[in-house]
């Protein structure tokens, strides 16, 4: 597994970046979730290798017609010049008419620390504005430093694996999760599914955590394995980066 880092609490998290075999990225799904209603999450993005259509390796969230927010670790070992961003997708094995495909022209990070899994956020600027409508839309951002109380109900989603050693799905999966505070850090939002082995997994990285209709998290890492029942799932806390996001958007011009 690429990118196994030491976590501050002494455990070894497996970063959700897909496995790479001989240059080909093995796509990596939500564990214990359900198929999303097709195109009901119009802000969800799929990051794929340009030369391998359908080769999903990370998720993302459209937050502006020309910007997708994803995890910094997703592009730590894969040059952004080799990545295609797909919006409006549901079934990644089909060329759906709703899909819009983009290249990346520039990326922006915010002091990403791979050793500590901190500031695991990245903005990817698309080569043209997305056409917005029912199937492709932007997600709402929180207020800067907005709190997210323990017990908040949220929705995680992605095209990642169905289990640590399980295959990948064709269609977007989603899962109801609960915000928890144990083992969490101030830079993260952490979630769990009470009394059930369910959670994010490899390939969900960079994807959205939506709470009350607002983008509150970016899928970052799990500890030891997917849906362990022992550890929460870790997301980068979007509310810490809202001012930075707006500064990048302003700098990019109209």
């Amino acid at each position: 597994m690429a990118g196994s880092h030491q976590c501050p609490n002494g455990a070894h998290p497996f970063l959700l970046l897909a496995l790479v075999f001989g240059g080909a990225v093995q796509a990596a799904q939500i564990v214990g979730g359900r198929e999303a209603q097709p195109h009901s999450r119009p802000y969800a993005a799929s990051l794929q290798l340009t030369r391998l259509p359908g080769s999903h390796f990370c998720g993302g969230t459209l937050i502006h017609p020309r910007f997708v927010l994803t995890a910094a670790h997703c592009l730590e070992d894969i040059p952004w010049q080799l990545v295609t961003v797909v919006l409006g997708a549901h079934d990644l094995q089909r060329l759906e008419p709703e899909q819009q495909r983009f290249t990346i022209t520039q990326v922006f990070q915010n002091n990403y620390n791979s050793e500590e899994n901190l500031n695991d956020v990245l903005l990817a600027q698309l080569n043209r504005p997305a056409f917005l409508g029912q199937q492709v839309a932007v997600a709402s951002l929180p207020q800067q430093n907005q709190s997210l109380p323990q017990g908040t109900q949220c929705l995680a989603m992605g095209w990642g694996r169905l289990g640590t050693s399980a295959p990948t799905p064709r269609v977007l999966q989603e899962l109801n999760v609960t915000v928890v505070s144990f083992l969490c850090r101030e830079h993260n939002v952490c979630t769990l599914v009470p009394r059930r082995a369910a959670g994010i997994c490899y390939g969900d990285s960079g994807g959205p955590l939506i709470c009350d209709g607002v983008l509150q998290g970016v899928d970052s890492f799990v500890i030891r394995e997917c849906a362990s029942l022992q550890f929460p799932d870790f997301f980068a806390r979007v509310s810490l980066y809202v001012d930075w996001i707006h500064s990048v958007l302003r700098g990019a011009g109209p």
Side-chain angles (χ1 to χ4, degrees):
M1 169 56 62
S4 175
H5 290 197
Q6 181 75 29
C7 210
N9 60 17
H12 292 273
F14 291 101
L15 294 186
L16 306 186
L17 188 60
L19 290 169
V20 180
F21 293 111
V25 170
Q26 181 172 338
Q29 158 181 359
I30 294 278
V31 181
R34 61 186 179 274
E35 179 180 350
Q37 183 73 23
H39 311 293
S40 63
R41 312 298 173 202
Y43 40 74
S46 169
L47 274 58
Q48 305 179 9
L49 292 181
T50 300
R51 295 186 178 183
L52 292 171
S55 59
H56 170 90
F57 65 90
C58 269
T61 307
L62 188 69
I63 60 155
H64 177 278
R66 283 198 69 173
F67 283 89
V68 164
L69 182 66
T70 186
H73 80 257
C74 284
L75 297 179
E76 189 175 19
D77 300 315
I78 299 177
W80 55 263
Q81 295 91 340
L82 304 181
V83 175
T84 292
V85 177
V86 182
L87 300 174
H90 179 65
D91 185 338
L92 295 183
Q93 301 304 315
R94 292 180 52 230
L95 287 176
E96 301 162 309
E98 297 87 353
Q99 291 183 14
Q100 300 178 38
R101 308 177 78 86
F102 305 84
T103 57
I104 298 173
T105 59
Q106 200 171 359
V107 296
F108 302 85
Q109 291 190 32
N110 189 334
N111 300 312
Y112 171 52
N113 181 333
S114 60
E115 292 301 314
E116 296 292 330
N117 305 318
L118 293 175
N119 304 319
D120 193 8
V121 292
L122 178 144
L123 278 169
Q125 184 170 354
L126 307 179
N127 62 310
R128 68 183 189 281
F131 179 77
L132 303 183
Q134 199 166 1
Q135 284 82 26
V136 175
V138 298
S140 299
L141 293 172
Q143 299 296 314
Q144 177 70 25
N145 296 324
Q146 180 179 330
S147 62
L148 193 62
Q150 177 170 318
T152 300
Q153 299 299 299
C154 303
L155 192 70
M157 65 200 70
W159 287 274
R161 295 190 186 206
L162 296 168
T164 303
S165 303
T168 61
R170 293 178 51 137
V171 297
L172 182 66
Q173 304 288 306
E174 64 184 27
L175 177 68
N176 295 94
V177 297
T178 301
V179 173
V180 295
S181 59
F182 78 95
L183 296 178
C184 206
R185 307 176 297 175
E186 61 179 357
H187 281 76
N188 294 110
V189 172
C190 297
T191 68
L192 202 65
V193 178
R195 298 174 298 281
R196 196 158 71 84
I200 60 176
C201 200
Y202 312 118
D204 290 324
S205 275
L209 179 73
I210 303 292
C211 311
D212 297 320
V214 175
L215 176 65
Q216 294 284 3
V218 172
D219 292 23
S220 185
F221 65 92
V222 298
I223 294 177
R224 293 188 182 155
E225 62 182 359
C226 306
S228 68
L229 281 175
Q230 295 176 282
F231 302 99
D233 294 335
F234 288 74
F235 299 78
R237 185 182 290 270
V238 173
S239 66
L240 299 180
Y241 307 101
V242 175
D243 288 348
W244 167 73
I245 290 170
H246 287 311
S247 70
V248 170
L249 299 186
R250 284 194 301 270

